[in-house]
Amino acid sequence: DAGVIQSPRHEVTEMGQEVTLRCKPISGHDYLFWYRQTMMRGLELLIYFNNNVPIDDSGMPEDRFSAKMPNASFSTLKIQPSEPRDSAVYFCASSSHRTGGETQYFGPGTRLLVL
Amino acid sequence: KQEVTQIPAALSVPEGENLVLNCSFTDSAIYNLQWFRQDPGKGLTSLLLIQSSQREQTSGRLNASLDKSSGRSTLYIAASQPGDSATYLCAVRMVTGGGNKLTFGTGTQLKVEL
């Protein structure tokens, strides 16, 4: 398996622009997680899905952030409009509880810089 | 609110040394605790997962222990190698109210020198 795939790997944009981050989880995994990592706040969970349904979005910082999972193999995290304080590394992770495993498998991350 | 702390924030050791990384958490009602490794510019890789009913888990040169009542976990690395250089994070999952959410510590940046 190719693991969790994220795109783009790097994104540089200007304040006010819309940013869309993409994630393809490991095939067969039923949980998908979006995290944000910064030096100041460390690694924070933004939202997670179970069977394509958002379960907990309490970590989403504000209405400018939205996430969707239209099917089991694809999710997006959108920031509109983007602000410089959104600059961070955004990770997607997936896991499967059907086989009893709870380990989360992380993608390589998207490094976002908002100017 | 669960808070996870890791000490030290950074550690530099010579190759071959045995070392211990520490993780503490404020709420002992955890479901499990995991240790992850993060290489620069990369995502996280799970190393060990300890269920709340377990005391320790081992994988190769790594041994993780859990003392739930005192809110502590340690990651022991035997005979450290330069390839062990990375940031190590611990994360806890709560029994209730957290679903499958993980709360991460701030990490310990380890450098193993030749």
Side-chain angles (χ1 to χ4, degrees):
Chain A
D1 197 312
V4 176
I5 299 173
Q6 291 186 247
S7 65
R9 294 293 310 277
H10 302 271
E11 178 79 27
V12 180
T13 190
E14 292 186 346
M15 182 174 63
Q17 296 298 307
E18 176 179 297
V19 176
T20 300
L21 311 181
R22 298 173 176 79
C23 175
K24 176 179 169 55
I26 292 173
S27 178
H29 282 191
D30 52 345
Y31 282 86
L32 184 139
F33 306 82
W34 281 102
Y35 291 91
R36 177 172 68 176
Q37 186 175 40
T38 62
M39 288 294 292
M40 290 295 294
R41 301 175 66 88
L43 197 62
E44 304 173 286
L45 177 68
L46 299 177
I47 184 171
Y48 78 91
F49 295 82
N50 177 218
N51 292 322
N52 313 337
V53 176
I55 301 302
D56 187 336
D57 65 355
S58 60
M60 296 285 264
E62 47 197 276
D63 293 345
R64 296 185 298 104
F65 286 69
S66 63
K68 295 182 180 180
M69 192 165 186
N71 57 62
S73 59
F74 184 67
S75 176
T76 59
L77 178 67
K78 185 176 294 186
I79 308 172
Q80 166 64 19
S82 58
E83 296 182 2
R85 59 191 169 122
D86 301 330
S87 298
V89 182
Y90 291 82
F91 289 104
C92 176
S94 70
S95 68
S96 170
H97 290 70
R98 295 192 188 111
T99 57
E102 297 182 44
T103 300
Q104 293 186 19
Y105 295 84
F106 281 71
T110 295
R111 294 183 176 276
L112 173 65
L113 178 61
V114 183
L115 302 173
Chain B
K1 178 185 175 184
Q2 176 73 274
E3 293 184 4
V4 183
T5 305
Q6 291 185 245
I7 295 174
L11 181 64
S12 182
V13 301
E15 182 180 13
E17 190 164 299
N18 301 326
L19 57 99
V20 175
L21 307 181
N22 297 294
C23 172
S24 61
F25 44 94
T26 55
D27 188 339
S28 63
I30 66 170
Y31 186 80
N32 61 41
L33 181 145
Q34 294 186 60
W35 282 93
F36 292 83
R37 167 183 173 141
Q38 184 175 25
D39 291 284
K42 302 286 182 63
L44 279 68
T45 301
S46 180
L47 297 173
L48 291 164
L49 184 153
I50 311 177
Q51 300 291 352
S52 62
S53 58
Q54 297 175 322
R55 297 284 297 188
E56 64 179 328
Q57 283 285 337
T58 298
S59 176
R61 295 182 295 107
L62 305 179
N63 176 277
S65 67
L66 174 65
D67 184 341
K68 197 174 67 168
S69 61
S70 67
R72 294 178 184 175
S73 175
T74 61
L75 179 66
Y76 175 83
I77 303 177
S80 58
Q81 303 171 358
D84 295 330
S85 298
T87 297
Y88 291 81
L89 297 102
C90 65
V92 298
R93 177 185 167 188
M94 302 304 293
V95 173
T96 60
N100 286 315
K101 293 170 63 171
L102 293 180
T103 301
F104 282 85
T106 48
T108 293
Q109 189 173 12
L110 172 65
K111 183 177 181 180
V112 181
E113 300 175 321
L114 291 169

